[in-house]
Amino acid sequence: MEKKIAKHLLDIGAVFLRPDKPFVWASGIESPIYCDNRLTLSYPEVRKDVEEGLAELIKKEYSECEGVFGTSTAGIAHAAIVSEILELPMGYVRGSAKDHGRTNQIEGKVVEGSKVVVVEDLISTAGSCVDVVNVLRNANCDVLGIVSIFTYGMKKGIDNLKKNNVRNISLCNLDALVEVAVEYGFIKESDVKKIITFRENPSDSIWKDM
């Protein structure tokens, strides 16, 4: 499944690998990789594999799940489709509470004590998805964990999840992605070390000189 999803992400341009012409993130960090997993929604075959894959992860890894919550905004559509496959309730968590109406931060029915799973598209530092988990925990939900489409496997993200006692299971990861990218000619074998070195310490541009 990891390699199948990796090939999908590369084929549709949801993941770009460009070690020789880095992308610049909002933080100013130069990166050899850029992810936009929202694109998976525009390709029915890819979307089907992604959503069925996420649903299978929930059934296998979080079999007690009673509801799914998407992260705002990237996880909302995925959570909606996955909840339909699993025939479970669905909601989502805003980045902050509304400043009008009922001032909700959680949209959808919240049942205290219910066992829920968070659906995310991408895990990097894991900051935003951990925030979602904590909002749900504060609403007295029992958050079983997270399912996501892709994870970089960054140390900061792994540490952040561990610190907050949150488990994430991803359909695909950077190691599988670069392996497939080399196999199908998206990058050269010599690019792999650059990309993995970037992953180990994104704030250090040493990877560019390799």
Side-chain angles (χ1 to χ4, degrees), residues 117-149:
V117 172
V118 172
V119 177
E120 175 67 289
D121 74 326
L122 172 68
I123 303 286
S124 53
T125 63
S128 59
C129 60
V130 165
D131 288 344
V132 167
V133 168
N134 287 330
V135 168
L136 290 167
R137 285 174 172 169
N138 289 337
N140 296 316
C141 291
D142 181 1
V143 182
L144 301 177
I146 301 167
V147 292
S148 55
I149 299 172

PDB file of all heavy atoms in Angstrom, residues 117-149:
ATOM      1  N   VAL A 117     -11.273   9.027  15.912  1.00  0.00           N
ATOM      2  CA  VAL A 117      -9.997   9.057  15.193  1.00  0.00           C
ATOM      3  C   VAL A 117      -9.917  10.352  14.396  1.00  0.00           C
ATOM      4  O   VAL A 117     -10.916  10.779  13.793  1.00  0.00           O
ATOM      5  CB  VAL A 117      -9.864   7.845  14.253  1.00  0.00           C
ATOM      6  CG1 VAL A 117      -8.633   7.982  13.356  1.00  0.00           C
ATOM      7  CG2 VAL A 117      -9.775   6.551  15.060  1.00  0.00           C
ATOM      8  N   VAL A 118      -8.760  10.976  14.386  1.00  0.00           N
ATOM      9  CA  VAL A 118      -8.530  12.199  13.626  1.00  0.00           C
ATOM     10  C   VAL A 118      -7.975  11.836  12.252  1.00  0.00           C
ATOM     11  O   VAL A 118      -7.088  10.995  12.134  1.00  0.00           O
ATOM     12  CB  VAL A 118      -7.534  13.126  14.366  1.00  0.00           C
ATOM     13  CG1 VAL A 118      -7.139  14.317  13.483  1.00  0.00           C
ATOM     14  CG2 VAL A 118      -8.138  13.607  15.677  1.00  0.00           C
ATOM     15  N   VAL A 119      -8.509  12.473  11.216  1.00  0.00           N
ATOM     16  CA  VAL A 119      -8.054  12.255   9.840  1.00  0.00           C
ATOM     17  C   VAL A 119      -7.284  13.494   9.381  1.00  0.00           C
ATOM     18  O   VAL A 119      -7.817  14.609   9.406  1.00  0.00           O
ATOM     19  CB  VAL A 119      -9.235  11.978   8.895  1.00  0.00           C
ATOM     20  CG1 VAL A 119      -8.737  11.818   7.459  1.00  0.00           C
ATOM     21  CG2 VAL A 119      -9.984  10.724   9.333  1.00  0.00           C
ATOM     22  N   GLU A 120      -6.040  13.280   8.965  1.00  0.00           N
ATOM     23  CA  GLU A 120      -5.150  14.366   8.536  1.00  0.00           C
ATOM     24  C   GLU A 120      -4.562  14.015   7.173  1.00  0.00           C
ATOM     25  O   GLU A 120      -4.421  12.833   6.838  1.00  0.00           O
ATOM     26  CB  GLU A 120      -4.043  14.547   9.579  1.00  0.00           C
ATOM     27  CG  GLU A 120      -2.968  15.558   9.234  1.00  0.00           C
ATOM     28  CD  GLU A 120      -3.466  16.988   9.200  1.00  0.00           C
ATOM     29  OE1 GLU A 120      -4.214  17.303   8.250  1.00  0.00           O
ATOM     30  OE2 GLU A 120      -3.101  17.784  10.086  1.00  0.00           O
ATOM     31  N   ASP A 121      -4.223  15.018   6.376  1.00  0.00           N
ATOM     32  CA  ASP A 121      -3.645  14.712   5.061  1.00  0.00           C
ATOM     33  C   ASP A 121      -2.129  14.567   5.119  1.00  0.00           C
ATOM     34  O   ASP A 121      -1.545  13.730   4.442  1.00  0.00           O
ATOM     35  CB  ASP A 121      -4.062  15.747   4.011  1.00  0.00           C
ATOM     36  CG  ASP A 121      -3.342  17.080   4.167  1.00  0.00           C
ATOM     37  OD1 ASP A 121      -3.061  17.473   5.318  1.00  0.00           O
ATOM     38  OD2 ASP A 121      -3.079  17.737   3.150  1.00  0.00           O
ATOM     39  N   LEU A 122      -1.467  15.373   5.975  1.00  0.00           N
ATOM     40  CA  LEU A 122      -0.008  15.414   5.979  1.00  0.00           C
ATOM     41  C   LEU A 122       0.517  15.631   7.396  1.00  0.00           C
ATOM     42  O   LEU A 122       0.029  16.502   8.110  1.00  0.00           O
ATOM     43  CB  LEU A 122       0.481  16.550   5.077  1.00  0.00           C
ATOM     44  CG  LEU A 122       1.973  16.884   5.096  1.00  0.00           C
ATOM     45  CD1 LEU A 122       2.786  15.745   4.495  1.00  0.00           C
ATOM     46  CD2 LEU A 122       2.232  18.188   4.339  1.00  0.00           C
ATOM     47  N   ILE A 123       1.526  14.849   7.778  1.00  0.00           N
ATOM     48  CA  ILE A 123       2.179  15.029   9.076  1.00  0.00           C
ATOM     49  C   ILE A 123       3.608  15.495   8.839  1.00  0.00           C
ATOM     50  O   ILE A 123       4.412  14.790   8.226  1.00  0.00           O
ATOM     51  CB  ILE A 123       2.214  13.724   9.889  1.00  0.00           C
ATOM     52  CG1 ILE A 123       0.811  13.163  10.111  1.00  0.00           C
ATOM     53  CG2 ILE A 123       2.938  13.953  11.218  1.00  0.00           C
ATOM     54  CD1 ILE A 123      -0.019  13.898  11.115  1.00  0.00           C
ATOM     55  N   SER A 124       3.919  16.696   9.315  1.00  0.00           N
ATOM     56  CA  SER A 124       5.307  17.178   9.262  1.00  0.00           C
ATOM     57  C   SER A 124       5.785  17.337  10.708  1.00  0.00           C
ATOM     58  O   SER A 124       6.313  16.403  11.283  1.00  0.00           O
ATOM     59  CB  SER A 124       5.415  18.480   8.471  1.00  0.00           C
ATOM     60  OG  SER A 124       4.501  19.449   8.959  1.00  0.00           O
ATOM     61  N   THR A 125       5.565  18.508  11.311  1.00  0.00           N
ATOM     62  CA  THR A 125       5.931  18.683  12.721  1.00  0.00           C
ATOM     63  C   THR A 125       4.836  18.180  13.655  1.00  0.00           C
ATOM     64  O   THR A 125       5.034  18.115  14.867  1.00  0.00           O
ATOM     65  CB  THR A 125       6.205  20.164  13.032  1.00  0.00           C
ATOM     66  OG1 THR A 125       5.003  20.919  12.834  1.00  0.00           O
ATOM     67  CG2 THR A 125       7.313  20.707  12.147  1.00  0.00           C
ATOM     68  N   ALA A 126       3.678  17.867  13.100  1.00  0.00           N
ATOM     69  CA  ALA A 126       2.527  17.319  13.839  1.00  0.00           C
ATOM     70  C   ALA A 126       1.857  18.333  14.756  1.00  0.00           C
ATOM     71  O   ALA A 126       0.958  17.969  15.521  1.00  0.00           O
ATOM     72  CB  ALA A 126       2.923  16.071  14.630  1.00  0.00           C
ATOM     73  N   GLY A 127       2.256  19.584  14.677  1.00  0.00           N
ATOM     74  CA  GLY A 127       1.691  20.593  15.573  1.00  0.00           C
ATOM     75  C   GLY A 127       0.196  20.785  15.431  1.00  0.00           C
ATOM     76  O   GLY A 127      -0.544  20.782  16.426  1.00  0.00           O
ATOM     77  N   SER A 128      -0.279  20.934  14.194  1.00  0.00           N
ATOM     78  CA  SER A 128      -1.702  21.225  13.987  1.00  0.00           C
ATOM     79  C   SER A 128      -2.584  20.041  14.354  1.00  0.00           C
ATOM     80  O   SER A 128      -3.656  20.217  14.947  1.00  0.00           O
ATOM     81  CB  SER A 128      -1.952  21.651  12.539  1.00  0.00           C
ATOM     82  OG  SER A 128      -1.552  20.631  11.639  1.00  0.00           O
ATOM     83  N   CYS A 129      -2.147  18.826  14.020  1.00  0.00           N
ATOM     84  CA  CYS A 129      -2.994  17.673  14.337  1.00  0.00           C
ATOM     85  C   CYS A 129      -2.998  17.379  15.839  1.00  0.00           C
ATOM     86  O   CYS A 129      -4.018  16.938  16.388  1.00  0.00           O
ATOM     87  CB  CYS A 129      -2.612  16.446  13.526  1.00  0.00           C
ATOM     88  SG  CYS A 129      -0.939  15.869  13.769  1.00  0.00           S
ATOM     89  N   VAL A 130      -1.888  17.647  16.533  1.00  0.00           N
ATOM     90  CA  VAL A 130      -1.867  17.505  17.985  1.00  0.00           C
ATOM     91  C   VAL A 130      -2.818  18.503  18.621  1.00  0.00           C
ATOM     92  O   VAL A 130      -3.526  18.183  19.590  1.00  0.00           O
ATOM     93  CB  VAL A 130      -0.433  17.674  18.530  1.00  0.00           C
ATOM     94  CG1 VAL A 130      -0.440  17.900  20.047  1.00  0.00           C
ATOM     95  CG2 VAL A 130       0.411  16.446  18.204  1.00  0.00           C
ATOM     96  N   ASP A 131      -2.872  19.713  18.076  1.00  0.00           N
ATOM     97  CA  ASP A 131      -3.824  20.714  18.577  1.00  0.00           C
ATOM     98  C   ASP A 131      -5.254  20.204  18.448  1.00  0.00           C
ATOM     99  O   ASP A 131      -6.076  20.381  19.361  1.00  0.00           O
ATOM    100  CB  ASP A 131      -3.686  22.025  17.803  1.00  0.00           C
ATOM    101  CG  ASP A 131      -2.413  22.789  18.146  1.00  0.00           C
ATOM    102  OD1 ASP A 131      -1.793  22.468  19.174  1.00  0.00           O
ATOM    103  OD2 ASP A 131      -2.048  23.697  17.369  1.00  0.00           O
ATOM    104  N   VAL A 132      -5.567  19.569  17.314  1.00  0.00           N
ATOM    105  CA  VAL A 132      -6.905  19.011  17.088  1.00  0.00           C
ATOM    106  C   VAL A 132      -7.197  17.920  18.117  1.00  0.00           C
ATOM    107  O   VAL A 132      -8.288  17.871  18.699  1.00  0.00           O
ATOM    108  CB  VAL A 132      -7.028  18.458  15.657  1.00  0.00           C
ATOM    109  CG1 VAL A 132      -8.277  17.595  15.501  1.00  0.00           C
ATOM    110  CG2 VAL A 132      -7.059  19.601  14.651  1.00  0.00           C
ATOM    111  N   VAL A 133      -6.235  17.045  18.336  1.00  0.00           N
ATOM    112  CA  VAL A 133      -6.401  15.978  19.327  1.00  0.00           C
ATOM    113  C   VAL A 133      -6.704  16.570  20.697  1.00  0.00           C
ATOM    114  O   VAL A 133      -7.616  16.112  21.406  1.00  0.00           O
ATOM    115  CB  VAL A 133      -5.137  15.094  19.393  1.00  0.00           C
ATOM    116  CG1 VAL A 133      -5.186  14.174  20.621  1.00  0.00           C
ATOM    117  CG2 VAL A 133      -4.997  14.267  18.129  1.00  0.00           C
ATOM    118  N   ASN A 134      -5.982  17.609  21.079  1.00  0.00           N
ATOM    119  CA  ASN A 134      -6.173  18.194  22.399  1.00  0.00           C
ATOM    120  C   ASN A 134      -7.520  18.905  22.533  1.00  0.00           C
ATOM    121  O   ASN A 134      -8.129  18.891  23.611  1.00  0.00           O
ATOM    122  CB  ASN A 134      -5.021  19.139  22.725  1.00  0.00           C
ATOM    123  CG  ASN A 134      -3.736  18.383  23.035  1.00  0.00           C
ATOM    124  OD1 ASN A 134      -3.780  17.263  23.536  1.00  0.00           O
ATOM    125  ND2 ASN A 134      -2.594  18.980  22.725  1.00  0.00           N
ATOM    126  N   VAL A 135      -7.997  19.508  21.447  1.00  0.00           N
ATOM    127  CA  VAL A 135      -9.330  20.117  21.475  1.00  0.00           C
ATOM    128  C   VAL A 135     -10.384  19.038  21.725  1.00  0.00           C
ATOM    129  O   VAL A 135     -11.311  19.216  22.538  1.00  0.00           O
ATOM    130  CB  VAL A 135      -9.621  20.861  20.148  1.00  0.00           C
ATOM    131  CG1 VAL A 135     -11.102  21.244  20.049  1.00  0.00           C
ATOM    132  CG2 VAL A 135      -8.762  22.109  20.031  1.00  0.00           C
ATOM    133  N   LEU A 136     -10.252  17.915  21.039  1.00  0.00           N
ATOM    134  CA  LEU A 136     -11.203  16.814  21.216  1.00  0.00           C
ATOM    135  C   LEU A 136     -11.094  16.208  22.614  1.00  0.00           C
ATOM    136  O   LEU A 136     -12.103  15.867  23.239  1.00  0.00           O
ATOM    137  CB  LEU A 136     -10.964  15.746  20.148  1.00  0.00           C
ATOM    138  CG  LEU A 136     -11.352  16.160  18.726  1.00  0.00           C
ATOM    139  CD1 LEU A 136     -10.792  15.171  17.698  1.00  0.00           C
ATOM    140  CD2 LEU A 136     -12.873  16.249  18.582  1.00  0.00           C
ATOM    141  N   ARG A 137      -9.879  16.079  23.110  1.00  0.00           N
ATOM    142  CA  ARG A 137      -9.705  15.566  24.473  1.00  0.00           C
ATOM    143  C   ARG A 137     -10.344  16.498  25.497  1.00  0.00           C
ATOM    144  O   ARG A 137     -10.954  16.043  26.469  1.00  0.00           O
ATOM    145  CB  ARG A 137      -8.215  15.392  24.775  1.00  0.00           C
ATOM    146  CG  ARG A 137      -7.582  14.182  24.113  1.00  0.00           C
ATOM    147  CD  ARG A 137      -6.078  14.153  24.326  1.00  0.00           C
ATOM    148  NE  ARG A 137      -5.477  12.903  23.848  1.00  0.00           N
ATOM    149  CZ  ARG A 137      -4.177  12.707  23.731  1.00  0.00           C
ATOM    150  NH1 ARG A 137      -3.316  13.686  24.049  1.00  0.00           N
ATOM    151  NH2 ARG A 137      -3.710  11.541  23.295  1.00  0.00           N
ATOM    152  N   ASN A 138     -10.211  17.810  25.275  1.00  0.00           N
ATOM    153  CA  ASN A 138     -10.812  18.781  26.188  1.00  0.00           C
ATOM    154  C   ASN A 138     -12.333  18.720  26.155  1.00  0.00           C
ATOM    155  O   ASN A 138     -12.992  19.161  27.105  1.00  0.00           O
ATOM    156  CB  ASN A 138     -10.335  20.197  25.860  1.00  0.00           C
ATOM    157  CG  ASN A 138      -8.877  20.421  26.224  1.00  0.00           C
ATOM    158  OD1 ASN A 138      -8.326  19.728  27.078  1.00  0.00           O
ATOM    159  ND2 ASN A 138      -8.241  21.385  25.571  1.00  0.00           N
ATOM    160  N   ALA A 139     -12.862  18.171  25.049  1.00  0.00           N
ATOM    161  CA  ALA A 139     -14.319  17.979  24.943  1.00  0.00           C
ATOM    162  C   ALA A 139     -14.716  16.594  25.462  1.00  0.00           C
ATOM    163  O   ALA A 139     -15.842  16.143  25.246  1.00  0.00           O
ATOM    164  CB  ALA A 139     -14.759  18.144  23.492  1.00  0.00           C
ATOM    165  N   ASN A 140     -13.765  15.936  26.135  1.00  0.00           N
ATOM    166  CA  ASN A 140     -13.989  14.627  26.751  1.00  0.00           C
ATOM    167  C   ASN A 140     -14.208  13.497  25.757  1.00  0.00           C
ATOM    168  O   ASN A 140     -14.885  12.515  26.067  1.00  0.00           O
ATOM    169  CB  ASN A 140     -15.151  14.685  27.753  1.00  0.00           C
ATOM    170  CG  ASN A 140     -14.854  15.607  28.929  1.00  0.00           C
ATOM    171  OD1 ASN A 140     -13.759  15.580  29.480  1.00  0.00           O
ATOM    172  ND2 ASN A 140     -15.811  16.434  29.288  1.00  0.00           N
ATOM    173  N   CYS A 141     -13.619  13.637  24.568  1.00  0.00           N
ATOM    174  CA  CYS A 141     -13.600  12.524  23.621  1.00  0.00           C
ATOM    175  C   CYS A 141     -12.379  11.658  23.924  1.00  0.00           C
ATOM    176  O   CYS A 141     -11.346  12.157  24.378  1.00  0.00           O
ATOM    177  CB  CYS A 141     -13.513  13.028  22.182  1.00  0.00           C
ATOM    178  SG  CYS A 141     -14.991  13.866  21.598  1.00  0.00           S
ATOM    179  N   ASP A 142     -12.505  10.381  23.641  1.00  0.00           N
ATOM    180  CA  ASP A 142     -11.382   9.449  23.776  1.00  0.00           C
ATOM    181  C   ASP A 142     -10.735   9.315  22.401  1.00  0.00           C
ATOM    182  O   ASP A 142     -11.234   8.588  21.548  1.00  0.00           O
ATOM    183  CB  ASP A 142     -11.895   8.097  24.271  1.00  0.00           C
ATOM    184  CG  ASP A 142     -10.784   7.067  24.454  1.00  0.00           C
ATOM    185  OD1 ASP A 142      -9.608   7.410  24.213  1.00  0.00           O
ATOM    186  OD2 ASP A 142     -11.096   5.919  24.808  1.00  0.00           O
ATOM    187  N   VAL A 143      -9.652  10.064  22.180  1.00  0.00           N
ATOM    188  CA  VAL A 143      -9.006  10.070  20.865  1.00  0.00           C
ATOM    189  C   VAL A 143      -8.087   8.853  20.761  1.00  0.00           C
ATOM    190  O   VAL A 143      -7.057   8.772  21.440  1.00  0.00           O
ATOM    191  CB  VAL A 143      -8.203  11.363  20.633  1.00  0.00           C
ATOM    192  CG1 VAL A 143      -7.589  11.341  19.231  1.00  0.00           C
ATOM    193  CG2 VAL A 143      -9.092  12.588  20.809  1.00  0.00           C
ATOM    194  N   LEU A 144      -8.445   7.929  19.879  1.00  0.00           N
ATOM    195  CA  LEU A 144      -7.668   6.705  19.713  1.00  0.00           C
ATOM    196  C   LEU A 144      -6.357   6.974  18.987  1.00  0.00           C
ATOM    197  O   LEU A 144      -5.354   6.295  19.227  1.00  0.00           O
ATOM    198  CB  LEU A 144      -8.482   5.669  18.937  1.00  0.00           C
ATOM    199  CG  LEU A 144      -9.818   5.251  19.568  1.00  0.00           C
ATOM    200  CD1 LEU A 144     -10.548   4.285  18.641  1.00  0.00           C
ATOM    201  CD2 LEU A 144      -9.597   4.619  20.936  1.00  0.00           C
ATOM    202  N   GLY A 145      -6.363   7.950  18.081  1.00  0.00           N
ATOM    203  CA  GLY A 145      -5.163   8.277  17.335  1.00  0.00           C
ATOM    204  C   GLY A 145      -5.484   9.003  16.051  1.00  0.00           C
ATOM    205  O   GLY A 145      -6.600   9.508  15.863  1.00  0.00           O
ATOM    206  N   ILE A 146      -4.513   9.040  15.165  1.00  0.00           N
ATOM    207  CA  ILE A 146      -4.599   9.761  13.893  1.00  0.00           C
ATOM    208  C   ILE A 146      -4.347   8.795  12.750  1.00  0.00           C
ATOM    209  O   ILE A 146      -3.535   7.879  12.868  1.00  0.00           O
ATOM    210  CB  ILE A 146      -3.541  10.878  13.824  1.00  0.00           C
ATOM    211  CG1 ILE A 146      -3.717  11.875  14.979  1.00  0.00           C
ATOM    212  CG2 ILE A 146      -3.567  11.609  12.470  1.00  0.00           C
ATOM    213  CD1 ILE A 146      -2.518  12.812  15.156  1.00  0.00           C
ATOM    214  N   VAL A 147      -5.038   9.001  11.632  1.00  0.00           N
ATOM    215  CA  VAL A 147      -4.651   8.383  10.366  1.00  0.00           C
ATOM    216  C   VAL A 147      -4.351   9.513   9.393  1.00  0.00           C
ATOM    217  O   VAL A 147      -5.025  10.547   9.398  1.00  0.00           O
ATOM    218  CB  VAL A 147      -5.726   7.441   9.772  1.00  0.00           C
ATOM    219  CG1 VAL A 147      -5.890   6.198  10.632  1.00  0.00           C
ATOM    220  CG2 VAL A 147      -7.054   8.149   9.570  1.00  0.00           C
ATOM    221  N   SER A 148      -3.327   9.327   8.571  1.00  0.00           N
ATOM    222  CA  SER A 148      -2.929  10.379   7.638  1.00  0.00           C
ATOM    223  C   SER A 148      -2.509   9.762   6.311  1.00  0.00           C
ATOM    224  O   SER A 148      -2.198   8.568   6.240  1.00  0.00           O
ATOM    225  CB  SER A 148      -1.792  11.218   8.224  1.00  0.00           C
ATOM    226  OG  SER A 148      -0.695  10.398   8.597  1.00  0.00           O
ATOM    227  N   ILE A 149      -2.505  10.594   5.285  1.00  0.00           N
ATOM    228  CA  ILE A 149      -2.102  10.114   3.963  1.00  0.00           C
ATOM    229  C   ILE A 149      -0.588   9.961   3.881  1.00  0.00           C
ATOM    230  O   ILE A 149      -0.082   8.958   3.396  1.00  0.00           O
ATOM    231  CB  ILE A 149      -2.589  11.081   2.867  1.00  0.00           C
ATOM    232  CG1 ILE A 149      -4.114  11.178   2.877  1.00  0.00           C
ATOM    233  CG2 ILE A 149      -2.107  10.601   1.480  1.00  0.00           C
ATOM    234  CD1 ILE A 149      -4.673  12.250   1.950  1.00  0.00           C
TER     235      ILE A 149
END
